Amino acid sequence: MTGQVVIVGSGHAGFQAAASLREEGFAGGITLVSADDGLPSQKPPLSKGFLQGKQTEESLLFRVPAWYETNAVTLRLGVRVVQIDPLGSQLKTETGDAIPYTHLILATGAANRPLPCPGADDVLYLRNLADARRIGARLEQARRVAIVGGGFIGLELAAVAAENRKTVTVVEAGSRLMERVLPPVLSGVFRRVHEQQGVQIRLNTVAQCIEKQNESYSIQLSDGQTVAADLVLAGIGVIPETNLAQAAGLVCDNGIVVNEYGQTSVSNIYAVGDCANQYNPFARRRLRLESVQNAVDQAKTAAKHLMGEAHPYRVVPWFWTHQYHLKLQMAGISAGYDQFSVAGNPETDTFSVYYYADGQLIAVDSLNRPGDHLKARKLLEAGSCLPAHSER
Ligand SMILES: Cc1cc2nc3c(=O)[nH]c(=O)nc-3n(C[C@H](O)[C@H](O)[C@H](O)COP(=O)(O)OP(=O)(O)OC[C@H]3O[C@@H](n4cnc5c(N)ncnc54)[C@H](O)[C@@H]3O)c2cc1C
């Protein structure tokens, strides 16, 4: 097959779409356009090994520079796309260039949700390598670090800062850490370990206002207390990057709505990764997932479909987080469980939680039990999940 595939976004989904198209034998042109200016690279280590100083920038690259030449993938880096013209099948960049396509793959990801409080202008967020460099430099200078958001990214940042002997405070609006995705038993283990490392955890608390005093900050909390910090970080969720798609008239609803092959409401435009909203047979509903596994597997499905192979997306979702010695691996989607059981020992931080709905296993979270995680993915894969819908 020939033609010109243009991919917008050079994250896990965009890179994988290019790689899979070549693996599938696509013989036409591939152009990868990205607002990021560095070579396509991984994100998960940014809040873990990279900030800990254990991983170099080079080790984050998906491929060495020569790979793009060998595979005839044209890189347009540091280039923001500002418009899609679906009727004329072309893109417009912020410098006014037009890029024609026969097929377009949107892999625009998501942007950090900004902290909605007065004085938040100096707050730093982590989304890409440039952010990580900035945070790394500021972290070296800071003695007291305040982190708003007790989700995965906020807590990974807290772990890095605490291991660097900083005075760390985490401010979380919910009543537990990682409440949206974890059961109380797991939230409890993470809280205990963070507190053992000296992290102060403020639950049921919102940052109401940040005041700058010389080079430090005073954060006023909803419980009437204040936290003093030299550096304020926030990880309070993301917003899917759907502006381009919406302006082009593609159907969007918490992400760009796609069918089981990744096609949007315009058949020669696909959307994959964090920006895509797709029916997931393992969650039994439409949703948007923010994970490397999902970005990679949706990109593979879209590339195959573009090459004429119609394999509906059906992969067990899985995620992970690393904080101190805690390695948590999650398989399946636990939301909506009506029963759970625990295998192993929560007191030694080595156990798995099995979630059921209507008597059927729907998800397994494994803490420091990688064997359980691998078995869980196989069990869930073999389970009798509902078939994928063919709706758009
Ligand atoms: C710090 C951090 C740690 C993480 N840790 C984990 C983890 O441990 N496990 C896990 O499973 N997931 C983790 N994730 C989530 C995971 O990295 C994302 O789900 C994944 O990167 C999504 O890939 P993507 O390609 O869809 O989007 P992204 O990686 O966000 O890429 C989007 C790309 O689109 C580009 N773009 C957007 N709009 C435009 C435009 N208009 N013009 C041109 N380019 C544009 C951006 O510049 C970027 O290159 C982490 C994420 C972060 C930020």
Side-chain angles (χ1 to χ4, degrees):
M1 182 174 173
T2 57
Q4 180 66 38
V5 177
V6 176
I7 302 166
V8 185
S10 61
H12 288 266
F15 167 77
Q16 187 61 48
S20 293
L21 280 169
R22 286 294 180 237
E23 277 159 27
E24 297 291 329
F26 179 69
I30 301 178
T31 303
L32 196 54
V33 191
S34 179
D36 289 346
D37 51 13
L39 277 177
S41 64
Q42 303 171 57
K43 292 219 158 68
L46 296 179
S47 51
K48 309 176 185 73
F50 180 72
L51 275 184
Q52 287 167 325
K54 294 179 184 163
Q55 271 184 269
T56 61
E57 290 193 14
E58 212 182 353
S59 74
L60 305 182
L61 296 179
F62 292 127
R63 294 290 187 280
V64 293
W67 183 90
Y68 297 91
E69 212 178 308
T70 311
N71 287 277
V73 174
T74 305
L75 292 175
R76 303 274 314 261
L77 302 175
V79 174
R80 182 162 288 279
V81 174
V82 291
Q83 198 183 16
I84 304 168
D85 170 8
L87 291 178
S89 289
Q90 62 173 6
L91 301 177
K92 208 158 103 191
T93 70
E94 62 189 339
T95 52
D97 293 348
I99 308 178
Y101 62 83
T102 49
H103 289 87
L104 174 63
I105 301 180
L106 295 174
T108 46
N112 287 311
R113 187 181 292 284
L115 190 61
C117 84
D121 301 353
D122 284 359
V123 172
L124 297 187
Y125 304 86
L126 178 54
R127 189 68 208 168
N128 55 34
L129 183 57
D131 297 334
R133 286 188 195 124
R134 204 171 301 125
I135 290 175
R138 290 282 306 277
L139 205 50
E140 267 184 33
Q141 309 297 325
R143 192 169 52 81
R144 301 158 304 174
V145 182
I147 298 166
V148 183
F152 290 137
I153 295 202
L155 292 175
E156 287 175 3
L157 288 170
V160 171
E163 283 170 337
N164 269 302
R165 298 174 189 281
K166 310 294 175 187
T167 301
V168 184
T169 306
V170 172
V171 178
E172 164 56 43
S175 61
R176 298 192 277 111
L177 295 178
M178 298 177 281
E179 188 170 22
R180 197 170 56 85
V181 285
L182 296 187
V185 62
L186 274 164
S187 295
V189 169
F190 277 85
R191 180 178 182 172
R192 167 171 53 75
V193 172
H194 273 281
E195 287 181 339
Q196 281 167 351
Q197 298 292 327
V199 176
Q200 292 226 17
I201 308 232
R202 305 283 184 85
L203 298 172
N204 302 305
T205 310
V206 174
Q208 284 189 321
C209 173
I210 303 173
E211 276 174 23
K212 192 170 180 181
Q213 297 156 342
N214 300 322
E215 289 310 302
S216 63
Y217 302 92
S218 169
I219 308 168
Q220 290 181 11
L221 305 180
S222 53
D223 62 6
Q225 304 212 2
T226 57
V227 175
D230 312 307
L231 172 62
V232 187
L233 306 173
I236 56 165
V238 297
I239 303 164
E241 284 279 10
T242 57
N243 291 344
L244 284 177
Q246 258 172 320
L250 306 186
V251 175
C252 294
D253 178 12
N254 178 30
I256 307 167
V257 172
V258 296
N259 70 7
E260 67 270 43
Y261 308 114
Q263 265 175 315
T264 68
S265 50
V266 173
S267 63
N268 67 336
I269 305 183
Y270 294 78
V272 291
D274 282 15
C275 68
N277 181 310
Q278 188 177 46
Y279 178 81
N280 188 296
F282 294 91
R284 300 163 299 281
R285 63 187 163 92
R286 276 194 168 277
L287 79 173
R288 215 173 44 71
L289 290 171
E290 293 155 20
S291 73
V292 168
Q293 171 277 316
N294 182 67
V296 167
D297 288 322
Q298 283 188 338
K300 289 181 180 172
T301 302
K304 275 195 192 318
H305 189 259
L306 203 150
M307 291 295 290
E309 269 187 67
H311 294 292
Y313 183 71
R314 190 188 181 285
V315 185
V316 175
W318 56 269
F319 318 85
W320 76 94
T321 181
H322 293 174
Q323 298 164 35
Y324 314 106
H325 65 282
L326 302 174
K327 293 195 180 345
L328 177 65
Q329 294 166 292
M330 295 149 271
I333 305 282
S334 61
Y337 70 90
D338 51 31
Q339 259 189 311
F340 73 93
S341 63
V342 175
N345 186 353
E347 279 167 26
T348 59
D349 304 335
T350 318
F351 64 104
S352 292
V353 185
Y354 293 76
Y355 305 86
Y356 302 86
D358 299 327
Q360 187 185 329
L361 183 70
I362 57 166
V364 181
D365 292 341
S366 303
L367 187 63
N368 296 326
R369 305 244 293 195
D372 284 3
H373 173 70
L374 290 177
K375 275 188 222 145
R377 276 165 51 185
K378 288 193 183 127
L379 275 175
L380 292 164
E381 178 68 39
S384 54
C385 290
L386 297 177
H389 282 187
S390 58
E391 56 171 310
R392 284 230 173 113

